[in-house]
Amino acid sequence: MPQNRNSNKSISMKNKAAITTSTMVEELRKRNDMSYDDAKATVRSFLDIIREGILDGRNIKLTSVGTIESTIRQGGVGKNPKTGEKIIFPKRRSVKFTVSRGLKDELKEIPVDDYDDE
């Protein structure tokens, strides 16, 4: 049965192993014939640059991947559903990721028939 396009249901991709920092170090080492220590230092430096940029309120544009955007979420007023008590949410900094158009187009080309609903 076809799934409604507007449905919020998504298919789990948990069967795919996460790419961790260690995975990136190992992959960089293999692809560039680097020592483990050099690859580790390179990955750490790259991640530090991204982290520092986010903390500084800058956007990080990774052309073939997407944009990591530092944002400010507006505060507001809410209500505790159990007690009915009014709750005030302060402004806070947040991070938003937007996939690049090229990557989005590439994703559209990958068949999803291999994934089952869980």
Side-chain angles (χ1 to χ4, degrees), residues 12 17 23 26 48-49 68 71 73 77 86-87 108 112 117:
S12 173
T23 310
E26 190 57 32
D48 284 346
I49 291 167
I68 302 168
T71 62
R73 296 183 103 181
V77 178
K86 182 173 143 180
I87 301 170
K108 287 179 187 176
V112 294
D117 291 344

Side-chain angles (χ1 to χ4, degrees), residues 2-115:
Q3 186 176 351
N4 180 349
R5 271 188 80 103
N6 296 326
S7 171
N8 286 335
K9 184 177 180 192
S10 61
I11 297 170
S12 173
M13 302 279 287
K14 290 181 183 176
N15 59 335
K16 296 281 187 181
I19 297 175
T20 64
T21 303
S22 297
T23 310
M24 287 192 284
V25 168
E26 190 57 32
E27 197 61 35
L28 183 65
R29 186 189 69 73
K30 285 181 197 173
R31 289 183 186 199
N32 295 286
D33 194 28
M34 299 171 79
S35 72
Y36 176 82
D37 290 338
D38 287 347
K40 185 175 180 180
T42 302
V43 169
R44 282 196 174 172
S45 293
F46 179 73
L47 295 175
D48 284 346
I49 291 167
I50 291 173
R51 184 178 177 278
E52 290 164 8
I54 291 168
L55 292 173
D56 194 33
R58 301 177 72 184
N59 293 341
I60 313 297
K61 293 185 180 193
L62 304 170
T63 306
S64 60
V65 177
T67 302
I68 302 168
E69 200 175 344
S70 291
T71 62
I72 296 178
R73 296 183 103 181
Q74 294 300 317
V77 178
K79 188 164 85 170
N80 181 328
K82 288 186 178 180
T83 65
E85 179 184 0
K86 182 173 143 180
I87 301 170
I88 297 174
F89 298 100
K91 270 187 189 182
R92 66 184 177 97
R93 292 180 76 175
S94 185
V95 177
K96 174 182 156 186
F97 178 75
T98 305
V99 178
S100 72
R101 177 170 288 160
L103 182 55
K104 203 180 274 190
D105 290 344
E106 286 182 63
L107 285 169
K108 287 179 187 176
E109 299 300 319
I110 299 173
V112 294
D113 298 336
D114 297 339
Y115 297 99

